[in-house]
Amino acid sequence: MRSPVGKHFRSVAGQVFVLQVAIVVLLATGALIALLLQSRHDVDREARNRSVAVAETFAHSLGLQGALKTPHPSTILQPLAESTRKDAGVDFIVVMDTNGIRYSHPKPDRIGKRFVGTIAPSLAGHTYTESVNGPLGQEIQAVVPVKAADGKVVGLVSAGLTVKNVSGVVDRQLPVILLAIATGLALATGGTALISRRLRRQTHGLGTHEMTRMYEHHDAVLHAVREGVVITDGDGRLLLANDEAKRLLGLPEGAEGRYIGDVPGLDRRMSDLLLSGRVATDEVLEAGDRLLVVNQRPTHTRGRAEGSAVTIRDSTEMRILTSRAETARRRLKLLYDAGVDIGTTLDVVRTAEELAAVAVPRFADYVTVDLADSVLDGDEPGPGADMRRTAVSGIRSDHPLYPRGRLIDFLPSTPQARGYGTGEAELVPDLSDAPGWQAQDPPRAREIIDFGIHSLIAAPLTARGVVLGVVNFWRSQKPEPFDDDELSLAEELVARAAVSMDNARRYTREHALAVTLQTSLLPRALPEQSAVDVAHFYLPAQSGVGGDWFDVIPLSGSRVALVVGDVVGHGLHAAATMGRLRTAVHNFSSLDLPPEEILARLDDLVQRIDHDADDAADPGGGVLGATCLYAVYDPVSRLCTVARAGHLPPLLVAPDGRTEFVELPAGPPLGLGGMPFETAELYLAEGSQLVLYTDGLVEERTRDIGEGLELLRAALSHPDRDPQESCRAVLDRLLPARPTDDVALLIARTRTLGADRVAQWEVPFEPSEVGTVRNAAARQLDAWGLSELGFSTELILSELITNALRHGSGPVRVRLLYDHALTCEVWDGSSTAPHLRYAATTDEGGRGLFLVAQLSEHWGTRYTPEGKVIWAEQSLPGAPGNPPDTAESALAAFLDVEPL
């Protein structure tokens, strides 16, 4: 009889059971050996570590070095070492001198004898561990140096364990290890038995013959069905493909077992799907000339994903429907991208380039955009306007089409001219059979046809009823010409772009008008003055002209006013408001008003502008906000008076290189009203630089205003530069590539009018002193070489001093300034304003100021906290527009006599 056990072992389940038990036993044996080796290694390492720790602790203990210095160290160290050895759990602690003579040992008879082991590394200051055959047997010991305060080794300490004790630890652990292995082996054997039983249950006890018959039936059914079946494994290999799958996919013989990516003839999209392993449900794929519907599901052998099962159906009849759907999808995608990519800026040329770029190569091989020449300047085009090629885009750059920038006068027979005139797009299927198009330029037309371009769509750019130009779509690569469906797509694409093009054209027109207006309102050249050396810079924002402005205004007494301002907003309104404010500043400055009063009058003006705009129901006519900084510098006293209305403070660069932002009362922006403006007075050394700027220079999106101010300070920390060099340094450091706000910068380096150019006299309040001052002034003019002005100057001084003594109050002071002109100033303590009047023929007086006005180029009055100053300015001899006989001519006209 055959044994039942033998029968079980001859079955697949029995053989698997025996194999698994053998593997478990082998693994358990290997694990036991590895654990024993690892345990011994760990115990040995632990012994060395403990020896080092005990030796170092004892070597650094208090009193050890003192005991080594005593006449009999063993008396102290032997009991201490033994006590420490027992507490630390080591077999010995030996203290020795630098010659290796022991002071302590568990065996007292070993005291005074030489230490067994290596001490040279420790004498060099290192810790050394080793295994030696010592007095206690085979020992693992560590030798540690005892170092004095100066680092010198004065003794050695050794501690360690015997190998017998170390092995004992391992032996005590071995039963635990064996028990754990035995338990694991029992569990593994039981688990293997359970798995074997489950395997027998899953195979239903079938033998090899039954399994073979089952495979044959499965194979017959698999290859008989008219649906492709493919099975892959987790490594991307083709495990099985039935006959239908091989036919549909064009698989060669021997494809099974190969990596899917290496199977020749397999469509790339199909191989990508098979390798991805993702779930696919009725997914349509194009493989060669077939349209396949694919379903794919991952297989879960033994509970985990190890491949995919794929079924394939032939659905070639769906090709036409899918092709149409794909074409519609591409067209929708093209129109969507056109809406996103065209019109990103308000620039006509850039918009044309975006239109040309978005259509190549998805719709046409070459695209050219021809715009009426006036459109580029922002104007509306007229009928029959010449067109300029604004944008060209194509799949190749060596095409024979007209280049960008070419001005083209299309003939009436061309589709471009007809489309521009009628506003209707035209399709030319065959350019070689289009004589009207070829008549434009026959040699170039032949080059275009020879190049391979064979079909054209000319679509006019029409926006808001105005034709701006023509867009030409050229085809060369596809052999078939454009059709009617593509003509409608071109019309829709161009219609969407035309609105963006017209917006860019309107913006270009407004921007050009604003730039023209602002250029006319800003100072074209700074006036002549000698108080400061000036450098200036202005740059409008890329998005539109704003309201930043600056000015340098000469004042009486060789003084100069430095002004910078900022009107909120962009466009024509901001530029016009800036012009109104600048004109007002000039008018107020001519009255010689102090800075705080000028800002107060500007504030009133802005309030009136806003009030007028409210009354006119014009929301865009008011001033949204404006700031201003006004500074007056006197080169005689070196006094600079500054006031600001909501503007950034100026930066002062001293001659020694110190930079600081001037502390000024802030003042509200112009137009708020209700609060007075305050001034600050600065005494500036000669060569100081006063820097006025707007916020567009120091503030932008990538940095805050604090960082910008520090960059401005760093750029100007070189006092040896002249204003022009300082201006360039500031722009190199702070000017953004595309400023979003206007940038205005004004740098003024101060000069002084030296004492040799200033003459001043105190006038006693007596009419008889007029002659004395007049004579002194004549002598000063002789010293300056201005004798030609002596006669007129004496007359001016006589009249002004006499008026001060007669109508004013003391004290009276006279000052002559020799600068780019000769200025006569008479100071008195009265605030009474002088008035120019025309005396009648019977009047005995009243001609004084009239005479002053005739003899001088300019005259006027300015008020001071102590009174007023009446000044008169005369051009120097030889100056342009000042002939030598000016004074005499004026006097002759005044006396109504013929000049001699």
Side-chain angles (χ1 to χ4, degrees):
M1 292 180 58
R2 292 183 179 179
S3 170
V5 176
K7 180 180 178 180
H8 287 305
F9 283 166
R10 284 195 301 271
S11 67
V12 175
Q15 293 173 2
V16 171
F17 176 81
V18 172
L19 179 61
Q20 289 181 344
V21 170
I23 291 174
V24 170
V25 172
L26 181 61
L27 292 176
T29 303
L32 176 61
I33 295 173
L35 286 173
L36 288 174
L37 293 177
Q38 183 65 33
S39 177
R40 288 184 180 275
H41 175 267
D42 292 343
V43 171
D44 181 78
R45 183 177 59 186
E46 178 62 24
R48 291 177 182 271
N49 292 341
R50 184 187 297 181
S51 301
V52 171
V54 173
E56 286 183 345
T57 302
F58 196 88
H60 292 86
S61 61
L62 298 175
L64 176 61
Q65 295 188 22
L68 290 174
K69 295 178 181 179
T70 59
H72 301 287
S74 297
T75 307
I76 301 173
L77 296 177
Q78 174 65 11
L80 181 60
E82 285 302 299
S83 174
T84 305
R85 176 182 67 81
K86 295 176 181 178
D87 294 337
V90 295
D91 291 329
F92 62 90
I93 296 178
V94 176
V95 183
M96 67 197 86
D97 60 10
T98 56
N99 296 320
I101 305 301
R102 299 188 185 95
Y103 291 142
S104 66
H105 197 274
K107 295 181 178 181
D109 58 335
R110 298 289 181 172
I111 297 174
K113 296 182 179 180
R114 184 173 297 276
F115 175 71
V116 178
T118 304
I119 64 174
S122 300
L123 292 175
H126 305 291
T127 299
Y128 183 75
T129 61
E130 62 181 344
S131 177
V132 299
N133 188 12
L136 300 180
Q138 193 67 28
E139 301 171 348
I140 297 175
Q141 64 185 10
V143 181
V144 176
V146 179
K147 297 181 180 180
D150 58 356
K152 182 180 179 182
V153 178
V154 298
L156 303 173
V157 175
S158 175
L161 297 168
T162 61
V163 175
K164 177 179 65 176
N165 290 340
V166 173
S167 302
V169 173
V170 176
D171 295 340
R172 289 192 296 273
Q173 294 177 350
L174 186 59
V176 178
I177 297 173
L178 291 175
L179 179 61
I181 293 175
T183 303
L185 181 60
L187 293 176
T189 303
T192 303
L194 293 176
I195 293 174
S196 300
R197 179 181 297 179
R198 184 175 180 181
L199 180 61
R200 290 196 303 270
R201 184 169 61 250
Q202 289 179 346
T203 58
H204 301 286
L206 295 176
T208 55
H209 295 289
E210 289 84 357
M211 295 291 290
T212 301
R213 258 193 328 271
M214 180 179 292
Y215 172 76
E216 290 173 351
H217 295 162
H218 170 268
D219 189 64
V221 173
L222 181 65
H223 294 284
V225 297
R226 301 306 299 169
E227 188 173 77
V229 178
V230 174
I231 298 177
T232 64
D233 65 4
D235 296 329
R237 295 187 177 276
L238 182 64
L239 298 181
L240 182 144
N242 67 350
D243 295 340
E244 184 68 6
K246 292 178 180 178
R247 184 183 70 85
L248 295 177
L249 300 179
L251 299 178
E253 293 295 331
E256 294 175 338
R258 299 181 64 176
Y259 181 70
I260 293 173
D262 298 334
V263 175
L266 184 61
D267 186 79
R268 181 184 57 81
R269 286 170 291 184
M270 178 60 73
S271 65
D272 291 342
L273 176 60
L274 296 177
L275 289 173
S276 68
R278 60 181 175 84
V279 175
T281 302
D282 291 338
E283 188 167 323
V284 180
L285 286 181
E286 191 175 4
D289 58 349
R290 299 180 184 277
L291 200 64
L292 305 179
V293 178
V294 182
N295 289 273
Q296 178 171 263
R297 295 291 186 276
T299 58
H300 297 276
T301 306
R302 293 187 295 275
R304 65 179 185 274
E306 292 188 353
S308 300
V310 184
T311 60
I312 306 170
R313 298 195 309 275
D314 189 1
S315 300
T316 307
E317 65 274 7
M318 296 179 63
R319 175 186 295 273
I320 298 176
L321 180 61
T322 303
S323 177
R324 291 179 178 176
E326 179 63 20
T327 300
R329 186 193 66 80
R330 288 198 300 267
R331 292 181 176 182
L332 289 175
K333 183 66 167 56
L334 175 62
L335 294 175
Y336 172 78
D337 291 344
V340 174
D341 297 337
I342 299 176
T344 59
T345 65
L346 289 173
D347 183 81
V348 174
V349 176
R350 180 59 182 163
T351 303
E353 292 172 347
E354 291 170 347
L355 170 58
V358 79
V360 176
R362 291 188 291 177
F363 179 67
D365 299 319
Y366 299 93
V367 175
T368 58
V369 181
D370 302 323
L371 298 179
D373 204 30
S374 56
V375 171
L376 299 176
D377 298 327
D379 299 328
E380 287 192 2
D386 291 343
M387 283 187 268
R388 189 174 297 277
R389 181 139 294 177
T390 310
V392 178
S393 179
I395 57 177
R396 291 173 57 182
S397 60
D398 57 344
H399 56 78
L401 300 172
Y402 282 132
R404 176 181 172 183
R406 175 76 173 265
L407 188 63
I408 309 171
D409 182 13
F410 286 106
L411 296 179
S413 62
T414 60
Q416 289 88 350
R418 290 195 298 270
Y420 182 77
T422 63
E424 300 293 334
E426 289 203 16
L427 169 62
V428 183
D430 188 2
L431 291 175
S432 62
D433 189 22
W437 170 76
Q438 296 181 22
Q440 174 69 33
D441 189 347
R444 187 175 293 272
R446 177 50 51 191
E447 291 181 18
I448 293 174
I449 294 173
D450 293 342
F451 186 75
I453 298 176
H454 59 82
S455 187
L456 165 68
I457 292 178
L461 273 163
T462 306
R464 301 178 178 95
V466 177
V467 180
L468 306 176
V470 178
V471 182
N472 305 293
F473 302 94
W474 311 83
R475 174 169 287 179
S476 64
Q477 282 196 330
K478 291 183 179 180
E480 64 272 11
F482 287 114
D483 55 25
D484 292 336
D485 290 339
E486 290 169 324
L487 176 63
S488 62
L489 175 60
E491 290 176 333
E492 186 171 357
L493 176 63
V494 172
R496 295 193 178 195
V499 177
S500 299
M501 189 74 69
D502 191 53
N503 291 337
R505 178 190 66 82
R506 292 168 180 263
Y507 172 78
T508 300
R509 180 179 60 185
E510 181 181 346
H511 183 74
L513 291 175
V515 169
T516 302
L517 175 61
Q518 188 177 49
T519 303
S520 65
L521 295 176
L522 285 173
R524 299 184 181 181
L526 297 182
E528 180 184 357
Q529 48 81 32
S530 57
V532 290
D533 293 325
V534 177
H536 60 88
F537 177 82
Y538 176 81
L539 180 66
Q542 290 289 336
S543 59
V545 175
D548 290 16
W549 56 284
F550 64 91
D551 220 330
V552 177
I553 306 172
L555 302 176
S556 64
S558 297
R559 298 172 304 139
V560 66
L562 306 173
V563 193
V564 68
D566 185 1
V567 176
V568 175
H570 296 278
L572 290 172
H573 174 62
T577 303
M578 177 271 292
R580 298 170 74 176
L581 293 181
R582 180 170 176 260
T583 302
V585 169
H586 270 269
N587 293 333
F588 297 150
S589 298
S590 65
L591 301 176
D592 263 331
L593 300 176
E596 69 275 13
E597 188 170 345
I598 287 182
L599 293 182
R601 297 200 179 195
L602 284 177
D603 185 63
D604 293 338
L605 174 63
V606 172
Q607 292 183 62
R608 286 197 298 274
I609 294 175
D610 290 337
H611 185 268
D612 294 342
D614 293 339
D615 292 344
D618 181 11
V623 181
L624 297 178
T627 64
C628 183
L629 189 145
Y630 191 93
V632 176
Y633 173 68
D634 186 350
V636 179
S637 62
R638 296 185 291 109
L639 177 65
C640 182
T641 307
V642 190
R644 62 173 174 148
H647 203 82
L648 293 172
L651 178 68
L652 178 61
V653 183
D656 59 1
R658 291 182 295 107
T659 59
E660 62 174 335
F661 289 98
V662 181
E663 293 292 336
L664 297 178
L670 300 176
L672 295 183
M675 295 183 65
F677 296 97
E678 301 180 45
T679 60
E681 294 184 345
L682 312 170
Y683 285 94
L684 306 181
E686 184 176 7
S688 300
Q689 292 189 11
L690 193 63
V691 183
L692 284 66
Y693 53 92
T694 58
D695 57 357
L697 179 67
V698 296
E699 186 178 18
E700 61 169 327
R701 296 172 184 172
T702 59
R703 64 170 183 256
D704 58 21
I705 193 168
E707 182 182 356
L709 292 175
E710 288 305 315
L711 289 175
L712 177 63
R713 184 201 297 270
L716 290 169
S717 59
H718 298 277
D720 53 326
R721 297 173 177 161
D722 61 27
Q724 290 292 347
E725 293 175 339
S726 298
C727 187
R728 285 194 295 269
V730 170
L731 298 178
D732 292 342
R733 181 71 68 90
L734 282 92
L735 187 65
R738 294 182 61 86
T740 57
D741 194 6
D742 289 12
V743 175
L745 175 65
L746 183 66
I747 300 179
R749 183 170 63 183
T750 62
R751 297 179 180 176
T752 58
L753 197 61
D756 59 330
R757 294 293 185 113
V758 180
Q760 183 171 307
W761 301 276
E762 296 290 336
V763 181
F765 207 75
E766 292 292 337
S768 59
E769 296 295 329
V770 176
T772 304
V773 175
R774 189 170 58 235
N775 294 333
R779 290 191 297 271
Q780 183 64 57
L781 292 179
D782 292 339
W784 284 341
L786 301 178
S787 301
E788 296 180 29
L789 298 179
F791 178 71
S792 58
T793 303
E794 290 183 35
L795 286 177
I796 290 173
L797 289 178
S798 295
E799 294 299 333
L800 294 183
I801 297 174
T802 301
N803 282 342
L805 295 177
R806 180 177 298 177
H807 305 291
S809 61
V812 178
R813 188 167 71 250
V814 174
R815 187 171 72 171
L816 296 181
L817 301 178
Y818 177 22
D819 196 7
H820 63 282
L822 179 65
T823 304
C824 304
E825 296 180 340
V826 176
W827 308 57
D828 71 86
S830 172
S831 298
T832 303
H835 297 282
L836 176 67
R837 69 185 184 90
Y838 295 90
T841 56
T842 58
D843 290 341
E844 296 182 359
R847 298 179 177 86
L849 290 181
F850 183 77
L851 178 62
V852 171
Q854 292 295 314
L855 295 177
S856 61
E857 285 288 322
H858 307 284
W859 76 279
T861 306
R862 68 174 183 270
Y863 294 92
T864 67
E866 296 81 15
K868 68 177 181 296
V869 180
I870 304 177
W871 55 272
E873 189 176 282
Q874 303 175 79
S875 299
L876 299 179
N882 184 36
D885 59 344
T886 299
E888 287 76 2
S889 299
L891 183 61
F894 175 72
L895 296 177
D896 195 19
V897 295
E898 293 294 332
L900 296 177

